[in-house]
Structure formats: C-alpha cells, structure tokens
Amino acid sequence: MSTRRLEQNPGPESGTRRHAALTVSAFQDAIRHHARYSLGNKWERCSSRELFMAVAFAVRDALIDRMLDTEDRYQQADPKRLHYLSMEFLLGQSLRNNLSNLGMLEPCRQALRTMGVDLDDVLESESEAALGNGGLGRLAACFLDSLATMGMPGYGYGINYEYGLFKQAIDSGYQREKPDNWMAHGNPWQIERPDEACIVPVYGRVEHGIDRAGGYNPMWMDWKIIIGVPHDMPIVGYGGNTVNVLRLYSARSSEEFDMQIFNEGDYLKAVEQQIASETISKVLYPADSIEAGRELRLLQEYLLVACALRDIVRRYSKSHEDFDQFPAKVAIQLNDTHPALAVAELMRMLIDEYAQPWEIAWEMTQATLSYTNHTLMPEALEKWPISLLEAVLPRHLQIIYEINRRFLAQVASMWPRDHERLRRMSLIEEGEQKQVRMVNLALVGSHAVNGVSTLHTQLVRTSLAPDFAQLWPDKFSTKTNGVTPRRWLLQANPLLADLITNTIGDGWITDLGKLRALEPYTQDADFRQAFMAMKRVNKVRLARLIYDVSRVVVSPDALFDVHVKRIHEYKRQLLNVMQIVHQYLCMIQDGQEPPVPRVYIFAGKAAPGYWTAKQIIKLVTSVGQVINNDPRVKGLIKVVFLPDYRVSLAEQIVPAADVNQQISMAGTEASGTGSMKFAMNGAIIVGTYDGANVEIMQEVGEENIFLFGLQVEAVRQMRERGSYHPRDYYHRNPHIRRLMDAFGSNLFCPNQPGLFRWINEQVLDHGDPYLHLADLESYIDTQGRVAQTFQDREGWVCKAILNVARTGQFSSDRAIAEYAKEIWNIQPVL
Amino acid sequence: MQLDQRKAGDALIVTPLEDRLDARVATDFKERMIELIASGNTIIVLDLSKVEFIDSSGLGAIVSSLKRMGGRGELVVCGLRETTMTLFKLTRMDRVFQVFDSEQQAVSALSGNKG
C-alpha cells in the first residue's frame, strides 16, 4: 500500500496565517485557567462535565479571536453577505468539530493525556444541540461549515430552543419521549448579546389613519412586545481562518415583571406573563409538518424572521446611508417555507420604517430573498388561516393582500380570463377557512427558487408550482444537497480519513473531488485490505454499541444493513420489515438460509403524534425480538433498533455500514442526504429512483449501487389511473401473501394478539398510499442480489472504495459554491 | 406619573419623567395631556428623551392626545431614543407626528411655522 503524502492542506495542525494553534502546554494552561476562573474549581477536582466546559472555554477563546478578526476582515472588504434563515440547525456536538477545524485536536488530546484525562471522555460529556428534526436542519449545519471553510461571509439565523428534539427511549418496544433540556448545564459556545436584543411586536390591529400630508397611513397599534435576545455560536471553518456566526434568538418578555401586577401582590401572575413570552422559544416542534393553526409555531417563525431582518438591516445600515446597495450587499436564503414571512416582514420594514415606495421595496425584497423548497408532501406545505394571521400579524396580512392583488393583476394581464389559473396561483386559498399559502408567498417574493436534487426540482417545476415555472422559468434551479466531509468523514471516520490521506494526501478535506484519485487503488490489494480492516474496526465498535444498548450480540463479519432516518410512512421502513419477514419465513418454513449473515440496523424518531410511525417502531422491535431469539435462524438474521437517533449516533453508525437503505416511494424524498454520508464512508446504497439516489447512481456507476422499484412516472400513472390494487399482489404472489398473513397472525405479538393487524388493514384495505407491495417483489430480489454480491468480499470492497472515490459531488462545499455563484453572488473574503 | 411641563415661548414643553411609558402609566398620561389641551395649550412639544421604552398603550395615549387637539394647533415630539424611534416608525406614527431631534429644534421649527 502506498503511504505517500502528496500535498498538505493549508490548515489545521500548523495553525492559520493569523493565529498559531495552541501548543500542548498553552492548552493545559488554558484548561487550568478556565477550570479555576470560569468554573471556580481546581481542574483536578472537576467532573467530566466540568472538564468539558473548561476545555470548551479554552477552545472558545481561540474561536472568539478568529471570529473578531473575521468580522474585521468583512468590515474592511464590505462584501455581499449571505444570511441563512432556518428554523432548524441540527449541529450535534461541537467540541470535536471545533478542535478539528482549528487544528487543535491532537494538542488538546496530548494536553489532557498529560493531565491524566482521556479526551474521548471529555467529548462524550457534551450535550448535543439537537435543534432540528432531520435532513433540513442537518443541511443547514453542513452549509455553515462549508461557508466558513470556504471563507464566505455567511451567517446563520435560527431559534435558540430551550428544548431540542425530544430524547427517545424504547420501553417495551415502544417509543417514549423525554424532554431534551440541552442547555441545563450551560452552553459554553454561546455568547449572549442582550445589547443587540430586538423588539418584536405581535398581535394588535391596523388603524386606518391619515398622515400629515393627508395620505392613507395604516398604523399597527395595540401590539404586544416580545424581545428576541441573540446568542452567537462561532462557526469555525476548516483551517480556522474564518469564524462565522450562527445567531440564535431566545424570546424574552419585554420586562422582568409587570410591576403593576407585581405591586398589587399577584406575584405569580406577573411571573406567568413573563413565562408566556418566553414560551415562544421553549421547544422545537418535533415534526416536519406542523398542524395548521398552531399559534405558537407562527410566533416562533415570526420571531426568527423579525429578529433576523432587523439585525441584517442594522448591520447593513452601519456602513451604508441608504438602501441603494441593499440587494448588492445582502442575500437572504429561506430554508424551506418556515421563514417565508420574511417576504412580508421585509416589505413592512422597508415601507413602514424606512419610507420606501412600494415598487422600490418590492424590487429590493425580491432581489434579496431566495427560497429553497424541501418537500412536496402536502401536509408539510405551510398554510396559515387568515383569522390567525389577522390576530397575530395584522399589518403583515394587509401587506400580503396587497402583494397578492398586484401579483394576480400581473397574471391576469398575461392570461386574461383564466380564472382557474388565478385561483391556483393566488397567495390566498379560498374555502371554508381562508388561508395564506406560504409556498406561494415564498415563490412570489424570491428571485430564485431551488429544489434540493435534480429530480425534486423537476417535480417542483411540474407538480408543485407548474404555473409559477411557466411564468418565471428562469427562477427555478437545482442545488443538489451536500454534506460536509469534515464532520462526516474526517471526524466521524478517522481510520478511513487517515487511510485516504496516507494514500492521496489531504487535499480531499477541502476539495472532495480529489477522492477520485482513489479509484486506481481498487486494484491495490494492500489498499483493499486496509480498507476492509478499517471497516471491520468500525463494525466492531458498532457491534459493541449495539450490545451495550440492546443486549443483542451481532457479528462484525455479518453484512451491516442500515436503515436510519426519521420514521415516516413515505420513507418505508415498513417495506424493509416486510423483506426481513420474508427472509425469515423463507428460512424457517422453506429451509432457505441467507447466503450471508445479516444485521438489520434501524434507528430513528417518530413524531410524538404520528401513530403509524410509532407503531412501525414497535413492529421493528417486535420482529427483532422474535427473530433474534429463534434458534432456527442460527444467528444468520439479526434485527436491532438503536434508540435515540441523533447526530452523534449517526457518526458511529455511518462508518460501520455496509449497506444503506434509502427506499422512499419515488417522488417523495426531496434529496436524502443520509445516502451521501453513507456512500462517502464506503457503504453501498440500496435505494429507489428517488431524490439524490439518481444522481448518486450517475456518479458512482450503476454497478456500484442497487436501485430498484417504480420510477416517478410509473408511480404517478399508477396513482392517477388507480391501477394499484394491493390485493392483486397479495393473491398473485404467495410470498407476499405469506408475509402479510404473518402480520395478521400473532407471530410477532404473541402476547398482544392483533397488534399488527393494522398493517394488513392499511396496506390491503386502505389503499396503501406509499405503494409498498408494488415495489416489494423487486426489493426482495434486490436484497437477494446484495447478499450474493457481499459473498465476494474483494468485489464488494471495490464497490465500496468506488463509492468513496466518487462522492466528491456530494460535498456541501460544492453545493455552497453553486449557491454562491448562481443565487447569492457572494465571494470568499480571505 | 411624573410629568414635567414648562413654557418656551408659545410652546408648552411636556416631559414625562418616566423610563417606561407603558400600560402602567398610559391612562394617567393620557388624562394629564387632555387636561393640558383642554386648558388652552395649542402648541405642545412632547419631549420623550427620558423615555427608554414605550409600548402600544403609551403610543395610543399620544395618538389620543393628538386626536383631542382636533386639528387645532400642533403636537410634536422630540428627543426620541432609538427604541422609541423604532416603535414610532413601526407604527408609522412618524408620518403623523413631526419628529425633532431636540427640544430646541422643535421650538424653533414651531416658531418658524408661526412666523
């Protein structure tokens, strides 16, 4: 095996141009200093948690120096800045990432070692910032890493949820939710900035007044005030040269207590009022689709938008006297429709607070805002009842009506008398309960709209917004998602990272396309051996974790077949279970042993109110219980469910996977960034022709991925023609009949008869909207081919290596470069 | 609430000596303003330089005072701090009231108007 080191990345271990990395002794001094003066303790007496805090404070000092320097650099260059508005930032733990990107991982490890402390123990003590549900929030976190790594002036704006996504426990096979009070022990990364708090008015009414010149003057009166207090998290790029800021807002009441109520002796009522305001940033909604009419969610979204825009305008105004340069200096990206209120809020600010004429304000708003769509699922497309908007944001509703009036006049002039088109394109949905369509508001108010994979963008154009695509064909583009190789390869899989760096140099860390240089090494027996050894070590580690949390013994020599993501019907965890049950029945009833031992690994959270998703978890655990304990299976099939899926768990699962399942019904998954992480770590995808799978196939080669099932057009036709009859599959295919009957029997629920009868009812009797049985036959065939292919370990490892080598396209650096060039028009400031 | 008032030429300078003009004092403030208007003051400069925060009740009280003047005379404001100015703009009250940086500017502009 080659151990060349072809090139040196300009960053880490040697420090940056402006800042030297901390030496081991300086690190020790800093840790001792913070243990004593920030925590009031001697380091020798510190708990793991306190040591984590002391180390984090030491790292934070370095981050702050670089953050201030970065801001100086930006101020000097006055570049166009990008502002990424997202209701979710799924950051996970930060210490390892910050140390690694600063090039301080090894000095820190050594410093702690000489103090008798293991860095890994310290790293484990960090609470995770689980401020997101899944892909959308994790994408936002990857994008921040890429922006900083590439030296781009990019700021994140979000909500500082006191409670992140719930913690999941499994109790008797069922999901139980526990609150995630992630900041209970303090958060060393955040810098609170009360002096930059924003005033956010809500509720009230519009008084139709007259100004001094006798003109119409709509006055927003009788509002209540919420205060948005910013908390800055430094985001360091690889190499440490650029430290951008993620600004998260907490809601506070406008005063500590209402003193009048307090003086009247009603202390509790005074406190209650304060608590009511602070409730707004209390909790992250644990679902990607929010039940319409949730006032608290609307308040959260407005808190984000109002605070972010006020902050953006404040920063712009510091160095500009008028708004002439605003779109040339400010880009604002809406991460899905959740921040779409930005359209109305920016218009309101420009018109009401800065006295801009409507036409100018509209031009600036459109030129500044751009919108990423993340889903086509109807339940996730936000609509707010007019009555609610009128109560919470009366002036915004008035502005939305006016935007709509002008927009529909434009549409009517192009398509006269096409009333149906006007009805479809209107920002207002008529009906029993009139609603504002936030997607349409975002489409109209943005100069650019993008989907997150080629296929998804095509569906946005053709099925979500065909009228808008016809009106503005150039507004729509694809920006396929990506993931940061720093977290998902360099940090999550240090063994593979070292193997790659020792083979082709470390240029891949900031230019993932360089992984292509690994391709020839499929012919290098030493490299293949080292690759297999790396995978096995990772699998041993995961096997140990599986045993620790579930007491199931699995062999690291088995095929690790992984299905981890939020639990949702469209993602079709049920399809996977059907295939497992089929395999099980083949073994115990037909005597057919699988060609290789296989461990099916599931993880994921179900939205607390989503009955079917929670039942799927119970199904997986129950099927696992039966199969894992059936001696006839001889340990050849294992099924495990790892509780509390989160970023840090993903970091342990991804490097150990042989196969990744991405099997959503075609046309439902917008992108599926999970697949990118797995492929990057040498797992092979079993997937449908959905989301980014298609592009991954184009990159890695169709012989190095297992795609199966109906494609989007076939799904569409089947649904439109009503030609999917699940019972036909049931009657025609004895294997399908047998496994469906197994769910109907009590095979997997001997102590709770009828527990899984819902599967038969939903699939066979209620139409099965996600077409499980239509794809099941080809899925079973594909999974069989996977097992056969895995028997040839040398052939398999070549495929795995080629997956790693050909994932350069799926770096978030590539995605950010595309956004920067084609939408934001921003440049690095180095 | 504490309200300082003094004459500068024809103008009555009214200065609320409160850091918060909010629901707690708005009713009292409004009544005091209406008394001043009823007693014949037609040129009033409302100096808000001591007010650090004003809520919608406070703003409502100022609007009510203007309405009470019934189009006769002038009610202008001056000395707005950043937060108060933000809230004035947010409600578009800056389009209803003349806003001056300082008491002197307000008085001089009003004398100019008169001349």
Side-chain angles (χ1 to χ4, degrees):
Chain A
M1 183 185 62
S2 165
T3 51
R4 285 174 295 149
R5 197 175 179 94
L6 297 184
E7 55 185 302
Q8 279 291 328
N9 218 302
E13 305 299 328
S14 57
T16 69
R17 276 183 291 154
R18 299 174 180 83
H19 297 274
L22 283 181
T23 62
V24 172
S25 66
F27 225 116
Q28 285 176 337
D29 289 345
I31 293 168
R32 288 194 190 102
H33 172 86
H34 281 292
R36 178 176 284 265
Y37 296 109
S38 301
L39 303 168
N41 206 352
K42 285 187 167 179
W43 74 268
E44 298 92 332
R45 294 184 200 148
C46 281
S47 63
S48 294
R49 172 77 207 168
E50 285 176 311
L51 268 176
F52 157 73
M53 292 292 279
V55 173
F57 280 131
V59 173
R60 193 177 89 153
D61 289 350
L63 291 174
I64 287 174
D65 285 340
R66 288 159 172 80
M67 179 181 76
L68 296 174
D69 281 0
T70 302
E71 187 52 36
D72 284 351
R73 217 159 71 226
Y74 291 167
Q75 281 190 18
Q76 204 167 11
D78 189 23
K80 184 170 184 180
R81 303 179 196 225
L82 174 269
H83 309 82
Y84 198 84
L85 272 57
S86 179
M87 287 293 283
E88 301 186 9
F89 285 91
L90 190 42
L91 296 166
Q93 294 171 324
S94 290
L95 180 54
R96 183 194 299 271
N97 182 68
N98 288 339
L99 283 168
S100 174
N101 280 4
L102 286 167
M104 295 181 181
L105 195 57
E106 282 316 306
C108 181
R109 192 182 294 281
Q110 285 177 39
L112 286 170
R113 192 181 295 136
T114 53
M115 295 163 83
V117 177
D118 185 347
L119 173 62
D120 290 334
D121 293 341
V122 172
L123 294 172
E124 276 180 20
S125 299
E126 179 174 8
S127 300
E128 289 200 48
L131 308 183
N133 276 285
L136 175 151
R138 186 52 231 173
L139 180 78
C142 284
F143 276 7
L144 292 183
D145 179 83
S146 285
L147 281 161
T149 296
M150 297 163 82
M152 301 270 192
Y155 301 79
Y157 283 93
I159 301 280
N160 197 30
Y161 302 106
E162 193 176 328
Y163 291 86
L165 187 60
F166 63 88
K167 286 181 185 289
Q168 179 196 56
I170 299 298
D171 181 359
S172 305
Y174 287 99
Q175 169 177 295
R176 297 278 177 260
E177 300 92 22
K178 295 194 286 191
D180 171 36
N181 190 2
W182 72 290
M183 291 189 286
H185 300 285
N187 185 319
W189 307 117
Q190 293 193 345
I191 304 159
E192 184 169 336
R193 303 217 185 260
D195 288 350
E196 294 183 32
C198 291
I199 290 175
V200 180
V202 286
Y203 302 106
R205 63 190 169 85
V206 174
E207 186 170 315
H208 304 283
I210 292 171
D211 63 19
R212 292 195 302 279
Y216 174 61
N217 190 38
M219 296 167 70
W220 183 7
M221 304 296 289
D222 296 344
W223 27 257
K224 307 279 182 217
I225 289 281
I226 304 161
I227 307 290
V229 179
H231 296 73
D232 287 350
M233 288 185 79
I235 304 292
V236 58
Y238 184 76
N241 189 45
T242 295
V243 177
N244 286 331
V245 171
L246 166 60
R247 183 158 269 205
L248 300 172
Y249 283 92
S250 297
R252 298 272 184 271
S253 61
S254 62
E255 56 178 333
E256 288 301 306
F257 299 111
D258 182 320
M259 287 308 292
Q260 190 176 20
I261 301 175
F262 183 71
N263 291 338
E264 284 164 5
D266 198 343
Y267 173 78
L268 287 178
K269 191 177 169 195
V271 177
E272 278 167 14
Q273 281 201 346
Q274 184 191 1
I275 291 169
S277 298
E278 296 181 358
T279 299
I280 292 167
S281 57
K282 199 69 138 182
V283 65
L284 166 74
Y285 273 89
D288 60 349
S289 59
I290 306 300
E291 188 190 322
R294 300 293 292 269
E295 188 168 326
L296 181 60
R297 173 71 174 191
L298 178 63
L299 287 166
Q300 285 186 338
E301 291 181 359
Y302 184 59
L303 175 75
L304 165 63
V305 159
C307 291
L309 289 180
R310 194 164 291 286
D311 194 56
I312 292 164
V313 170
R314 178 192 57 77
R315 186 181 288 119
Y316 170 83
S317 302
K318 270 197 221 167
S319 49
H320 302 88
E321 286 181 354
D322 55 37
F323 279 92
D324 292 354
Q325 291 286 303
F326 193 66
K329 294 294 181 186
V330 173
I332 299 172
Q333 186 69 34
L334 310 178
N335 193 25
D336 216 353
T337 52
H338 317 140
L341 277 169
V343 177
E345 172 67 358
L346 187 52
M347 283 297 286
R348 188 199 63 73
M349 283 178 76
L350 293 170
I351 292 170
D352 290 356
E353 298 186 30
Y354 294 94
Q356 298 291 314
W358 180 282
E359 291 75 12
I360 302 284
W362 184 240
E363 212 173 284
M364 283 198 281
T365 297
Q366 280 188 312
T368 306
L369 298 178
S370 45
Y371 158 57
T372 303
N373 174 274
H374 278 276
T375 180
L376 306 168
M377 306 292 282
E379 66 269 27
L381 302 175
E382 282 188 312
K383 294 171 186 172
W384 290 111
I386 295 281
S387 54
L388 181 62
L389 265 184
E390 192 163 28
V392 177
L393 299 168
R395 177 64 180 138
H396 296 74
L397 181 61
Q398 199 183 22
I399 288 169
I400 289 169
Y401 274 133
E402 181 60 14
I403 294 170
N404 198 38
R405 186 187 70 75
R406 290 171 183 245
F407 169 62
L408 292 183
Q410 183 191 350
V411 175
S413 71
M414 294 179 71
W415 289 280
R417 290 180 294 283
D418 190 346
H419 300 297
E420 190 54 26
R421 183 185 297 267
L422 291 177
R423 187 191 60 74
R424 291 193 304 264
M425 298 182 81
S426 175
L427 307 190
I428 312 296
E429 184 173 278
E430 301 294 336
E432 206 169 300
Q433 186 183 43
K434 279 172 77 172
Q435 301 187 97
V436 176
R437 296 163 167 156
M438 300 310 281
V439 173
N440 291 19
L441 180 62
L443 291 169
V444 172
S446 303
H447 71 281
V449 175
N450 72 282
V452 291
S453 68
T454 304
L455 177 62
H456 169 239
T457 306
Q458 186 190 327
L459 292 171
V460 168
R461 279 201 182 100
T462 56
S463 73
L464 179 76
D467 297 312
F468 293 89
Q470 195 180 357
L471 177 62
W472 297 307
D474 297 336
K475 196 185 258 201
F476 293 79
S477 70
T478 298
K479 299 287 169 281
T480 299
N481 284 348
V483 301
T484 170
R486 270 73 64 184
R487 182 174 288 263
W488 293 109
L489 182 45
L490 181 66
Q491 295 157 33
N493 198 346
L495 294 177
L496 178 56
D498 284 350
L499 177 62
I500 295 170
T501 296
N502 289 335
T503 307
I504 62 167
D506 65 357
W508 62 272
I509 298 171
T510 51
D511 181 359
L512 203 63
K514 288 202 159 84
L515 290 180
R516 283 269 175 186
L518 288 175
E519 283 192 27
Y521 289 89
T522 54
Q523 305 304 314
D524 182 328
D526 288 345
F527 185 85
R528 288 200 307 271
Q529 197 63 41
F531 193 95
M532 281 194 272
M534 169 280 298
K535 184 64 85 177
R536 195 171 192 288
V537 171
N538 290 334
K539 288 170 74 172
V540 167
R541 189 179 64 153
L542 182 59
R544 200 176 300 130
L545 176 76
I546 289 170
Y547 180 75
D548 285 346
V549 298
S550 67
R551 286 289 177 261
V552 177
V553 177
V554 301
S555 164
D557 295 317
L559 192 166
F560 277 18
D561 185 329
V562 175
H563 201 166
V564 294
K565 51 185 76 257
R566 282 181 304 121
I567 310 294
H568 199 292
E569 286 164 278
Y570 86 81
K571 294 176 184 288
R572 298 203 296 193
Q573 283 90 356
L574 179 57
L575 184 66
N576 194 352
V577 178
M578 286 175 171
Q579 185 276 141
I580 295 168
V581 169
H582 164 73
Q583 203 183 13
Y584 171 61
L585 295 175
C586 283
M587 195 171 173
I588 62 165
Q589 293 185 7
D590 307 338
Q592 291 176 9
E593 285 191 4
V596 291
R598 197 156 176 163
V599 182
Y600 293 97
I601 299 162
F602 290 83
K605 293 176 182 175
Y610 190 172
W611 186 87
T612 307
K614 295 178 91 166
Q615 286 300 315
I616 288 171
I617 292 175
K618 175 61 179 170
L619 175 69
V620 172
T621 55
S622 300
V623 167
Q625 185 74 17
V626 170
I627 293 179
N628 299 343
N629 294 304
D630 187 336
R632 293 170 295 178
V633 175
K634 297 182 263 184
L636 292 173
I637 311 171
K638 292 278 174 80
V639 181
V640 293
F641 188 95
L642 293 175
D644 204 27
Y645 186 56
R646 58 200 185 279
V647 174
S648 62
L649 183 56
E651 287 166 351
Q652 296 180 75
I653 294 174
V654 170
D658 293 307
V659 159
N660 165 54
Q661 300 287 332
Q662 187 80 28
I663 57 175
S664 50
M665 184 181 75
T668 55
E669 188 73 271
S671 177
T673 46
S675 285
M676 300 170 185
K677 296 161 199 163
F678 280 100
M680 204 174 275
N681 279 275
I684 296 176
I685 294 164
V686 172
T688 45
Y689 292 86
D690 199 19
N693 280 354
V694 181
E695 285 155 83
I696 294 175
M697 179 186 72
Q698 287 161 358
E699 289 294 313
V700 304
E702 57 187 57
E703 67 283 9
N704 299 313
I705 187 170
F706 294 92
L707 296 195
F708 70 94
L710 295 173
Q711 300 196 22
V712 169
E713 182 56 21
V715 167
R716 191 186 64 78
Q717 283 184 13
M718 200 171 241
R719 288 176 131 188
E720 272 183 17
R721 293 174 185 165
S723 59
Y724 173 57
H725 304 293
R727 281 210 175 266
D728 289 352
Y729 296 88
Y730 176 83
H731 290 302
R732 200 176 60 223
N733 185 325
H735 287 138
I736 291 181
R737 189 162 60 247
R738 182 169 68 174
L739 72 93
M740 290 302 292
D741 287 348
F743 292 130
S745 76
N746 299 319
L747 179 59
F748 299 111
C749 50
N751 300 322
Q752 292 169 279
L755 185 63
F756 299 122
R757 210 169 286 147
W758 64 269
I759 300 170
N760 295 56
E761 289 164 5
Q762 287 201 5
V763 172
L764 298 177
D765 301 331
H766 297 151
D768 182 20
Y770 299 106
L771 311 183
H772 288 84
L773 298 193
D775 277 343
L776 182 55
E777 286 167 290
S778 69
Y779 183 50
I780 288 171
D781 289 347
T782 304
Q783 286 285 65
R785 279 197 295 124
V786 169
Q788 283 161 8
T789 310
F790 192 72
Q791 284 181 295
D792 170 15
R793 295 297 172 102
E794 291 288 342
W796 183 273
V797 78
C798 286
K799 290 179 188 298
I801 292 166
L802 289 175
N803 267 269
V804 177
R806 296 174 178 174
T807 44
Q809 182 68 5
F810 304 106
S811 164
S812 45
D813 299 348
R814 185 270 315 150
I816 286 298
E818 289 178 3
Y819 277 99
K821 182 168 177 233
E822 296 163 27
I823 295 182
W824 303 331
N825 192 25
I826 60 168
Q827 306 282 337
V829 179
L830 301 171
Chain B
M1 73 171 294
Q2 292 216 45
L3 207 62
D4 181 57
Q5 46 185 291
R6 60 195 170 79
K7 277 282 190 179
D10 291 342
L12 177 70
I13 316 291
V14 179
T15 309
L17 302 175
E18 299 279 343
D19 60 352
R20 294 177 66 92
L21 199 51
D22 59 12
R24 192 170 48 90
V25 297
T27 307
D28 191 13
F29 170 70
K30 187 168 87 177
E31 284 169 3
R32 302 275 294 275
M33 288 294 286
I34 287 170
E35 277 171 26
L36 294 171
I37 294 162
S39 59
N41 291 294
T42 56
I43 299 176
I44 299 176
V45 176
L46 182 59
D47 174 7
L48 295 175
S49 58
K50 300 279 188 283
V51 176
E52 288 173 10
F53 178 80
I54 187 163
D55 75 355
S56 61
S57 336
L59 290 171
I62 299 173
V63 173
S64 296
S65 306
L66 180 70
K67 285 180 180 165
R68 183 52 69 102
M69 294 193 80
R72 294 177 298 278
E74 289 274 8
L75 171 58
V76 302
V77 292
C78 70
L80 273 60
R81 294 186 177 216
E82 191 184 339
T83 306
T84 313
M85 190 60 177
T86 301
L87 292 166
F88 255 67
K89 287 182 169 178
L90 187 127
T91 47
R92 295 170 65 110
M93 280 178 62
D94 58 322
R95 322 243 177 138
V96 177
F97 293 88
Q98 282 195 74
V99 179
F100 297 96
D101 286 346
S102 66
E103 178 195 314
Q104 291 76 9
Q105 280 181 12
V107 170
S108 118
L110 290 173
S111 337
N113 286 347
K114 194 184 165 197

